[in-house]
C-alpha cells in the first residue's frame, strides 16, 4: 500500500527500532559458517574428493564426473545439516542482478516416502528455464536454451534454507550470457601474461591472481517514506524534490558517528555477511546524509565479485528487516553526492608478492615499475573501453558532476612515482645501471607506500588512482557488477603485458641485456602514455580544457560512451585474448542499450504520472485557496481598497498557473517524443533518441515541480520532502 506523506511521517516517528542480538559470538566462531569452504569440505568429503577439488580450483583442471557425485553428496549432506531444503545455481545474468531458481532436494521414493537427493550432474550443470534473461538476440527462445555450469573456484553457500552454487551462464552455442564467464577468462589470460613477465624477475612464480577490494556505497531510507515516493520505489531515484536547506554543506555526516538505528542494521548485515565468509571490515558514514559505505578485506577477484553481489543482496534484505530500504542507485538525490563503488585492484603472485607494491630492493622495485607502467599504458590505450564498461543510466548522472571522477579517464600516480618515472624517462639508454641508480630505485620507490598509504598524497578526484599498493578505479557505479570493469581492465593489462614481453624479448634477441631491454621498453611506454597521467584537480574546468588539448575523450552520455565497446579496437582486444567474440560484444551492447531505453522510459512515465496526477492537482488546490482568499478580501474591502494594498497573492496565483501550464505542455511533448522513440527499430537509435530527446524533459519538468514545492502550502504537498527523506 502506498502511504501519503503524513501517514508515512507518522509511521516514522512512532517506529520501534528493531533490535539485533549479536548473541555474543566471537567473529572467529561464526566466520564462514554458511560456506562450503576448505574446512567444511574436509569434514564432509573424502580425502580424494577434497584434493581433487582443491587442484581443480587452483589449476583450472576439469572435475571428474565420479568425483562430482561425491562432492555433490558431501555438499548436500552439509547443506541439509544446516537446515537447507532447496538448492539453486546462482549466477550473474546481464541485467546486473543475480539469479536463482530453487529446486527441492527431495525426491519421492517408490514406497510413498521421499529421499533427499542431489547428484553430481545437478551440481555440475543445469538448464534453467531462464529464457527471459537478456541475451541481445543470441539465444532464440525456441532453439538454444542457456545452461548454467558450476564454478568450483567460488565456494557454495547456504542462505536461509537454500544451498547456492555459484555458476556461469552460457548459451548452448557457447556464447557467454553472464558476467562471470568473461571475467574468469580474463583472469586466466592475465594470469598467463603476468606470470610470463614475472619470469624476468623471479622464476619461482607460476601463478598470478588479480585481487579486488571493493568499497560499496549506498543510501538508507525509512521504509514508510520510501513507499510514499513512487519515484524511488519504481526507479530507484527521486525524480523531484527541492534541495533541503541543509544537506551536506557542513560535512557533518562524513565519518560522523553512525546513528543508532543504522549501527544496529549494520551489525545485523555484517553478521550475516561474515557467516557467508565475506570479510567485511570497514563501515562509515559517507559524504551525503544517509549515505554509508561498507568495505571488505580484498580477495581474489572472482570471489570478491561474487561477494560483492552477495553483500548487496544481504544489505537489501537486512534493510527490509529493519524497516529500511537500501538504495544502490548512483544518484538517488539531486544536489548531493551520489554513490560509487571503488574497485581497488592489484595482481599478486603465488609466491605472496603484490605486484603493485613497491619492493625492498632494486630488483623487486624494477618488477613493481614494470607492472605499474604496463598498467598505465593499458589504461591509456583502452581508456574508452574502460569508460564504456562503467557507464550506466545511473552512473551517467554522477560522472563529471564534480562529486565523482569526471568522464575523462586519467591516471594519478602521486608525486614520488611521477618523479621516479621522470627519472627513467631521462635516463640515458644503453648503459649499465650504476650502483647509485640502483640505490636510488630502492630509496625513492621504497618510501612510496608509506606516503600514499597514510593518505597524505591521495587525489580523490582521479578516476584511476595509485594508492600505495594498488590502483583504485573510482568511476565504477554503486549498482554495477564489479565484473564489468574488471573484464576490461584484466584483459587490457594482459594484452599489454603480452606486447611488453614480445618487445623485450625482441631486444634480448638482438643481444641487449635483459635489464636494459626492460628499461628501454618501459621508457618508451612512459613517453607514449604520458597524456593519461594527471595529478591535478579532476573536478576543475581547467582539466576539461587541458584534457581536450591532450586528445583525451570526455563522453558523459551513455549511448555515446558505450560505442567504444564495439569499436574495432575493442573487438580486436577481446578476440585476440579469446574473451568475447564480436557478436557477443554486439549482443551485450544491445542489451545495455535496451536497459538504457527501458530505464529512461520508466523514469519518464513515472514523472509524467506524478506531475499530472499528484503535483498539478495539488497546485490547483492551493491556487484555489489563494483565489478564494483574494475573492474574500475584495468582498470585504472592495476592489479599490484591495488594489491599493500591497499584496503578492495575485503574483503567486499567476506563477502557479504558469508552472502548471508549462508542466502540462512539457509532459505532453515528452510523451510525443517517447512515441517517436518507441517506433524506431534500431536499438542504438532508440537509445540515442531517449538520451537526446526524452531525457532532457526529466530535468525541465522537475525544475518546475521543485519551484512549486517552494510555493505550495507544506500541509498539501503529497510527497516526502528531501529534508524528511535524508535524516535518519
Ligand atoms: P581507503 O579509504 O583508503 O580507500 P578502504 O579501507 O575504504 O580504504 O578501502 C580500501 C580497499 O582496498 C579495501 O577493500 C582493501 O582490502 C583494498 N585493498 C588493499 N590492498 C589491496 C590489494 N593489494 N588489492 C586489491 N585491493 C586491495
Ligand atoms: Mg578508497
Amino acid at each position: 500500500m502506498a502511504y501519503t506523506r503524513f501517514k508515512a511521517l507518522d509511521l516514522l516517528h512512532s517506529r520501534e527500532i528493531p533490535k539485533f542480538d549479536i548473541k555474543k559470538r566471537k567473529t572467529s566462531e561464526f566466520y564462514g559458517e554458511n560456506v562450503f569452504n576448505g574446512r567444511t569440505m574436509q569434514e564432509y568429503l573424502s580425502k580424494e574428493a577434497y584434493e581433487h577439488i582443491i587442484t581443480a580450483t587452483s589449476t583450472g583442471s576439469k572435475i571428474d564426473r565420479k568425483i562430482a557425485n561425491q562432492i555433490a553428496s558431501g555438499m548436500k549432506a552439509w547443506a541439509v545439516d544446516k537446515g537447507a531444503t532447496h538448492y539453486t545455481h546462482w549466477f550473474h545474468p546481464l541485467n546486473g542482478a543475480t539469479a536463482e531458481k530453487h529446486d527441492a532436494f527431495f525426491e519421492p521414493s517408490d514406497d510413498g516416502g521421499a529421499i533427499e537427493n542431489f547428484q553430481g550432474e545437478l551440481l555440475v550443470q543445469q538448464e534453467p528455464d531462464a529464457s527471459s534473461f537478456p541475451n541481445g538476440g543470441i539465444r532464440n527462445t525456441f532453439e538454444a536454451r542457456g545452461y548454467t555450469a558450476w564454478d568450483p573456484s567460488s565456494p557454495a553457500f547456504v542462505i536461509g534454507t537454500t544451498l547456492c552454487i555459484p555458476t556461469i551462464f552460457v548459451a548452448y552455442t557457447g556464447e557467454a550470457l553472464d558476467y562471470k564467464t568473461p571475467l574468469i577468462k580474463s583472469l586466466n589470460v592475465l594470469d598467463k601474461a603476468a606470470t610470463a613477465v614475472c619470469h624476468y624477475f623471479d622464476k619461482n612464480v607460476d601463478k598470478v591472481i588479480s585481487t579486488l577490494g571493493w568499497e560499496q556505497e549506498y543510501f538508507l531510507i525509512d521504509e514508510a517514506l520510501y513507499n510514499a515516493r513512487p519515484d524511488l520505489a519504481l526507479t530507484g531515484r527521486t525524480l523531484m524534490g527541492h534541495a533541503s536547506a541543509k544537506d551536506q554543506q557542513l560535512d557533518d555526516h562524513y565519518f560522523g558517528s553512525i546513528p543508532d538505528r543504522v549501527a544496529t542494521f549494520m551489525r545485523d548485515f555484517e553478521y550475516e555477511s561474515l557467516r557467508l565468509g565475506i570479510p567485511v571490515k570497514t563501515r562509515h558514514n559517507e559524504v551525503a546524509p544517509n549515505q554509508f559505505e561498507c568495505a571488505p578485506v580484498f580477495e581474489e577477484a572472482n570471489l570478491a565479485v561474487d561477494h560483492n553481489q552477495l553483500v548487496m543482496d544481504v544489505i537489501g534484505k537486512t534493510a527490509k528487516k529493519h524497516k529500511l530500504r537500501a538504495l544502490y542507485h548512483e544518484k538517488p538525490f539531486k544536489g548531493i553526492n551520489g554513490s560509487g563503488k571503488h574497485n581497488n585492484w592489484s595482481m599478486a603472485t603465488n609466491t605472496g608478492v603484490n605486484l603493485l607494491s613497491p619492493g625492498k630492493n632494486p630488483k623487486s622495485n624494477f618488477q613493481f615499475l614494470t607492472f605499474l607502467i604496463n598498467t598505465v599504458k593499458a589504461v591509456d590505450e583502452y581508456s574508452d573501453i574502460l569508460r564504456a564498461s562503467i557507464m550506466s543510466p545511473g552512473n551517467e548522472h554522477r560522472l563529471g558532476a564534480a562529486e565523482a571522477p569526471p568522464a575523462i579517464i586519467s591516471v594519478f600516480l602521486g608525486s614520488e612515482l611521477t618523479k621516479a618515472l621522470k627519472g627513467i624517462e631521462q635516463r640515458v639508454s644503453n648503459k649499465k645501471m650504476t650502483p647509485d641508480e640502483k640505490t636510488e630505485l630502492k630509496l625513492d620507490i621504497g618510501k612510496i607506500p608509506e606516503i600514499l598509504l597514510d593518505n597524505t598524497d591521495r587525489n580523490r578526484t582521479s578516476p584511476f588512482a595509485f594508492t600505495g599498493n594498488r590502483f583504485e578505479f573510482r568511476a565504477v557505479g554503486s549498482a554495477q557488477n564489479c565484473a564489468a570493469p574488471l573484464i576490461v581492465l584484466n584483459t587490457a593489462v594482459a594484452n599489454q603485458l603480452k606486447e611488453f614481453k614480445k618487445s623485450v624479448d625482441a631486444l634480448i634477441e638482438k643481444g641487449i641485456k635483459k635489464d636494459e631491454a626492460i628499461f628501454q621498453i618501459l621508457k618508451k611506454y612512459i613517453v607514449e602514455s604520458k597524456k593519461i597521467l594527471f595529478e591535478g584537480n579532476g573536478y576543475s574546468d581547467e582539466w576539461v580544457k587541458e584534457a581536450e588539448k591532450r586528445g583525451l575523450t570526455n563522453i558523459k552520455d551513455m549511448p555515446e560512451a558505450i560505442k567504444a565497446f564495439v569499436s574495432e579496437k575493442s573487438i580486436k582486444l577481446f578476440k585476440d585474448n579469446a574473451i568475447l567474440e564480436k557478436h557477443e560484444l554486439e549482443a551485450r551492447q544491445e542489451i545495455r542499450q535496451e536497459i538504457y531505453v527501458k530505464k529512461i522510459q520508466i523514469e519518464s512515465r513515472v514523472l509524467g504520472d506524478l506531475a499530472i496526477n499528484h503535483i498539478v492537482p495539488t497546485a490547483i488546490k492551493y491556487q484555489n485557496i489563494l483565489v478564494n482568499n483574494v475573492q474574500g478580501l475584495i468582498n470585504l474591502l472592495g476592489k479599490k481598497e484591495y488594489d491599493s494594498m500591497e499584496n503578492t497573492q495575485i503574483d503567486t496565483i499567476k506563477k502557479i498557473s504558469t508552472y502548471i501550464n508549462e508542466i502540462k505542455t512539457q509532459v505532453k511533448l515528452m510523451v510525443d517524443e517517447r512515441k517517436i522513440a518507441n517506433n524506431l527499430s534500431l536499438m542504438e537509435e532508440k537509445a540515442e533518441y531517449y538520451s537526446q530527446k526524452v531525457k532532457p524533459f526529466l530535468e525541465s519538468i522537475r525544475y518546475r515541480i521543485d519551484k512549486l514545492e517552494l510555493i505550495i502550502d507544506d500541509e498539501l504537498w503529497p510527497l516526502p520532502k528531501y529534508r524528511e527523506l535524508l535524516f535518519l
Side-chain angles (χ1 to χ4, degrees):
M1 177 190 93
Y3 303 115
T4 61
R5 174 170 160 231
F6 289 101
K7 173 91 193 300
L9 287 170
D10 278 350
L11 269 169
L12 172 70
H13 293 133
S14 59
R15 218 180 282 275
E16 276 208 32
I17 310 253
K19 299 256 182 304
F20 170 66
D21 175 18
I22 187 79
K23 298 181 191 83
K24 291 219 170 70
R25 296 176 76 191
K26 273 189 286 185
T27 305
S28 57
E29 276 171 43
F30 59 80
Y31 184 75
E33 69 180 358
N34 289 342
V35 186
F36 195 55
N37 56 21
R39 213 185 266 181
T40 337
M41 276 191 232
Q42 280 177 332
E43 201 179 314
Y44 282 86
L45 298 181
S46 68
K47 194 159 181 286
E48 182 199 18
Y50 173 70
E51 273 161 13
H52 194 85
I53 188 170
I54 296 297
T55 321
T57 315
S58 59
T59 63
S61 65
K62 259 206 155 56
I63 301 233
D64 185 274
R65 283 271 156 169
K66 209 172 84 230
I67 303 276
N69 271 332
Q70 287 185 31
I71 298 172
S73 124
M75 205 185 260
K76 183 205 70 194
W78 167 76
V80 170
D81 281 353
K82 295 220 70 84
T85 53
H86 288 67
Y87 64 91
T88 179
H89 275 195
W90 182 82
F91 55 102
H92 309 215
L94 292 169
N95 60 10
T98 51
E100 33 192 280
K101 178 191 169 219
H102 299 186
D103 279 300
F105 280 126
F106 87 88
E107 244 166 52
S109 56
D110 292 342
D111 58 3
I115 50 161
E116 260 76 43
N117 191 24
F118 185 55
Q119 295 290 326
E121 61 208 60
L122 295 175
L123 163 68
V124 173
Q125 187 173 319
Q126 292 210 9
E127 195 184 308
D129 181 19
S131 43
S132 298
F133 285 119
N135 63 75
I138 280 182
R139 204 153 45 98
N140 184 315
T141 324
F142 300 101
E143 291 165 3
R145 294 170 70 178
Y147 69 93
T148 52
W150 180 33
D151 166 21
S153 64
S154 179
F157 51 90
V158 167
I159 290 191
T161 53
T162 305
L163 166 69
C164 302
I165 300 153
T167 58
I168 56 168
F169 181 39
V170 285
Y172 263 118
T173 35
E175 292 89 353
L177 298 170
D178 67 349
Y179 285 108
K180 199 189 250 286
T181 308
L183 174 66
I184 291 176
K185 286 183 180 174
S186 76
L187 291 167
N188 291 337
V189 174
L190 181 63
D191 171 16
K192 289 216 178 66
T195 302
V197 170
C198 280
H199 286 169
Y200 286 139
F201 308 96
D202 182 358
K203 292 278 183 224
N204 293 320
V205 173
D206 48 43
K207 189 172 174 70
V208 172
I209 59 163
S210 152
T211 52
L212 169 68
W214 41 263
E215 298 164 57
Q216 178 71 50
E217 294 181 344
Y218 58 95
F219 279 84
L220 288 177
I221 303 294
D222 181 82
E223 175 186 87
L225 297 174
Y226 175 90
N227 285 334
R229 291 284 312 219
D231 49 354
L232 261 186
L234 296 174
T235 73
R237 74 177 179 109
T238 54
L239 297 172
M240 57 183 68
H242 195 278
S244 166
K246 171 185 180 295
D247 45 51
Q248 66 187 39
Q249 305 93 321
L250 302 177
D251 276 334
D252 46 359
H253 182 68
Y254 190 48
F255 280 51
S257 83
I258 299 175
D260 282 350
R261 181 176 180 193
V262 176
T264 308
F265 151 79
M266 284 179 172
R267 276 202 298 277
D268 197 351
F269 95 69
E270 284 171 358
Y271 177 64
E272 287 310 320
S273 305
L274 290 164
R275 295 175 75 202
L276 286 164
I278 307 170
V280 287
K281 199 162 168 78
T282 311
R283 51 161 104 121
H284 61 78
N285 291 356
E286 258 303 326
V287 173
N290 272 12
Q291 192 187 26
F292 305 92
E293 182 183 297
C294 153
V297 179
F298 70 92
E299 300 176 284
E300 186 279 324
N302 179 33
L303 186 61
V305 169
D306 279 359
H307 280 170
N308 179 245
Q309 289 296 111
L310 205 47
V311 106
M312 289 171 77
D313 205 40
V314 173
I315 288 179
K317 284 189 181 133
T318 314
K320 283 188 183 160
K321 204 168 116 191
H322 289 253
K323 305 264 182 255
L324 295 164
R325 284 291 185 278
L327 309 179
Y328 293 122
H329 194 285
E330 282 81 5
K331 193 76 183 174
F333 303 98
K334 192 181 166 181
I336 58 173
N337 277 16
S339 300
K341 171 147 56 196
H342 296 175
N343 279 200
N344 294 273
W345 173 90
S346 188
M347 293 162 276
T349 66
N350 63 314
T351 54
V353 174
N354 174 355
L355 291 169
L356 290 177
S357 186
K360 294 202 166 43
N361 55 50
K363 193 168 117 193
S364 57
N365 277 337
F366 203 21
Q367 174 171 288
F368 156 71
L369 281 172
T370 299
F371 281 92
L372 179 97
I373 293 166
N374 272 289
T375 305
V376 172
K377 174 94 168 114
V379 173
D380 179 43
E381 195 71 36
Y382 297 107
S383 59
D384 283 351
I385 311 175
L386 272 173
R387 179 179 44 230
S389 75
I390 49 99
M391 265 296 181
S392 69
N395 220 10
E396 221 185 17
H397 293 280
R398 197 177 146 252
L399 300 177
E403 58 165 84
I408 308 163
I409 301 285
S410 66
V411 180
F412 167 86
L413 290 179
S415 52
E416 291 298 318
L417 268 182
T418 305
K419 243 193 280 164
L421 261 49
K422 197 152 253 142
I424 297 176
E425 195 188 333
Q426 284 161 355
R427 190 177 155 272
V428 186
S429 281
N430 295 324
K431 68 174 177 89
K432 242 178 120 64
M433 248 209 280
T434 64
D436 266 1
E437 279 173 327
K438 282 193 176 166
T439 320
E440 241 173 63
L441 248 186
K442 180 172 150 196
L443 293 180
D444 275 358
I445 296 171
K447 66 183 184 223
I448 289 163
E450 284 122 68
I451 299 171
L452 281 168
L453 287 173
D454 81 352
N455 267 328
T456 48
D457 195 24
R458 294 250 192 128
N459 182 332
R460 300 248 156 223
T461 66
S462 172
F464 202 88
F466 186 71
T467 49
N469 57 7
R470 61 192 186 266
F471 276 102
E472 186 168 339
F473 192 13
R474 300 210 184 95
V476 185
S478 49
Q480 287 178 310
N481 187 317
C482 305
L486 282 191
I487 292 164
V488 179
L489 185 57
N490 290 334
T491 309
V493 172
N495 194 69
Q496 177 52 48
L497 288 169
K498 284 193 215 166
E499 291 292 319
F500 172 74
K501 175 126 196 341
K502 245 190 265 164
S503 309
V504 171
D505 286 350
L507 290 185
I508 293 175
E509 229 158 78
K510 276 194 211 151
I512 295 174
K513 281 253 162 52
K514 185 182 75 187
D515 279 4
E516 183 54 35
I518 294 174
F519 251 121
Q520 283 187 22
I521 302 298
L522 290 183
K523 181 174 165 176
K524 177 168 162 272
Y525 286 174
I526 293 171
V527 175
E528 284 170 0
S529 49
K530 232 186 218 167
K531 68 172 187 304
I532 200 83
L533 297 178
F534 179 62
E535 300 285 300
N537 178 4
Y539 297 174
S540 67
D541 294 335
E542 292 82 67
W543 171 228
V544 175
K545 281 181 217 137
E546 164 71 18
E548 197 182 339
K549 253 193 254 157
R550 293 189 189 185
L552 298 176
T553 52
N554 180 11
I555 310 171
K556 297 179 190 161
D557 169 81
M558 169 162 164
E560 189 58 34
I562 64 174
K563 284 183 184 161
F565 199 50
V566 288
S567 63
E568 263 175 48
K569 198 172 188 175
S570 176
I571 292 167
K572 184 167 164 30
L573 173 70
F574 287 110
K575 191 180 172 50
D576 286 354
N577 292 285
I579 310 290
L580 291 164
E581 291 293 323
K582 181 172 180 223
H583 72 286
E584 291 177 285
L585 289 172
E586 284 166 352
R588 274 160 197 263
Q589 188 76 342
E590 194 174 324
I591 291 168
R592 296 179 74 191
Q593 286 159 347
E594 193 178 338
I595 289 175
Y596 186 84
V597 165
K598 285 183 178 161
K599 291 231 160 142
I600 306 290
Q601 185 181 47
I602 293 171
E603 288 187 353
S604 154
R605 285 176 177 164
V606 172
L607 184 65
D609 169 46
L610 286 176
I612 301 300
N613 302 316
H614 296 235
I615 304 303
V616 167
T618 306
I620 292 174
K621 232 183 262 173
Y622 183 56
Q623 196 182 36
N624 282 339
I625 293 177
L626 295 180
V627 169
N628 285 338
N629 175 261
V630 170
Q631 205 66 61
L633 284 172
I634 293 175
N635 287 347
L636 186 72
L637 304 169
K639 180 92 169 71
K640 210 166 156 212
E641 173 76 14
Y642 178 81
D643 285 345
S644 72
M645 273 168 50
E646 184 147 338
N647 73 69
T648 54
Q649 244 41 347
I650 305 269
D651 281 350
T652 309
I653 290 170
K654 283 186 188 160
K655 236 191 231 166
I656 293 176
S657 284
T658 311
Y659 287 135
I660 289 176
N661 289 335
E662 287 175 356
I663 288 171
K664 281 183 159 174
T665 317
Q666 295 215 7
V667 169
K668 179 162 184 326
L669 289 173
M670 177 169 76
V671 173
D672 291 344
E673 292 292 11
R674 246 174 27 219
K675 281 188 188 141
I676 298 176
N678 295 342
N679 280 326
L680 295 170
S681 50
L682 280 180
M683 199 51 85
E684 178 172 321
E685 281 177 10
K686 223 184 239 188
E688 277 170 6
Y689 202 90
Y690 262 98
S691 163
Q692 286 157 25
K693 302 287 185 170
V694 179
K695 205 177 167 205
F697 282 111
L698 296 176
E699 260 317 295
S700 64
I701 295 171
R702 173 193 189 130
Y703 171 81
R704 289 163 173 88
I705 295 177
D706 291 354
K707 288 284 181 204
L708 283 174
E709 187 187 317
L710 289 186
I711 298 175
I712 288 168
D713 182 1
D714 184 62
E715 288 283 328
L716 296 178
W717 196 254
L719 303 177
K721 295 184 171 180
Y722 269 26
R723 64 163 191 264
E724 293 154 352
L725 289 169
L726 281 172
F727 299 93
L728 276 172

